[in-house]
PDB file of all heavy atoms in Angstrom:
ATOM      1  N   HIS K 253       1.677  -4.916  37.082  1.00 88.00           N
ATOM      2  CA  HIS K 253       0.594  -4.175  36.443  1.00 88.00           C
ATOM      3  C   HIS K 253      -0.071  -5.216  35.436  1.00 88.00           C
ATOM      4  O   HIS K 253      -1.380  -5.262  35.397  1.00 88.00           O
ATOM      5  CB  HIS K 253       1.073  -2.965  35.903  1.00 88.00           C
ATOM      6  CG  HIS K 253       1.191  -1.850  36.967  1.00 88.00           C
ATOM      7  ND1 HIS K 253       0.155  -1.016  37.127  1.00 88.00           N
ATOM      8  CD2 HIS K 253       2.132  -1.588  37.749  1.00 88.00           C
ATOM      9  CE1 HIS K 253       0.580  -0.138  38.119  1.00 88.00           C
ATOM     10  NE2 HIS K 253       1.800  -0.449  38.507  1.00 88.00           N
ATOM     11  N   GLU K 361     -28.045  11.874  18.385  1.00 98.00           N
ATOM     12  CA  GLU K 361     -29.006  12.757  17.930  1.00 98.00           C
ATOM     13  C   GLU K 361     -29.201  13.999  18.923  1.00 98.00           C
ATOM     14  O   GLU K 361     -29.362  15.079  18.466  1.00 98.00           O
ATOM     15  CB  GLU K 361     -30.380  12.053  17.760  1.00 98.00           C
ATOM     16  CG  GLU K 361     -30.539  11.710  16.260  1.00 98.00           C
ATOM     17  CD  GLU K 361     -31.629  10.776  15.964  1.00 98.00           C
ATOM     18  OE1 GLU K 361     -32.627  10.842  16.737  1.00 98.00           O
ATOM     19  OE2 GLU K 361     -31.525  10.073  14.985  1.00 98.00           O
ATOM     20  N   ARG K 855      17.122  34.156  16.783  1.00 98.00           N
ATOM     21  CA  ARG K 855      16.121  34.976  17.442  1.00 98.00           C
ATOM     22  C   ARG K 855      16.768  35.589  18.617  1.00 98.00           C
ATOM     23  O   ARG K 855      16.825  34.822  19.776  1.00 98.00           O
ATOM     24  CB  ARG K 855      14.951  34.152  17.684  1.00 98.00           C
ATOM     25  CG  ARG K 855      14.302  33.559  16.374  1.00 98.00           C
ATOM     26  CD  ARG K 855      13.535  34.414  15.531  1.00 98.00           C
ATOM     27  NE  ARG K 855      12.565  35.100  16.312  1.00 98.00           N
ATOM     28  CZ  ARG K 855      11.674  36.090  15.872  1.00 98.00           C
ATOM     29  NH1 ARG K 855      11.713  36.379  14.552  1.00 98.00           N
ATOM     30  NH2 ARG K 855      10.755  36.657  16.617  1.00 98.00           N
TER      31      ARG K 855
END
Side-chain angles (χ1 to χ4, degrees):
H253 277 264
E361 264 167 31
R855 302 281 305 179

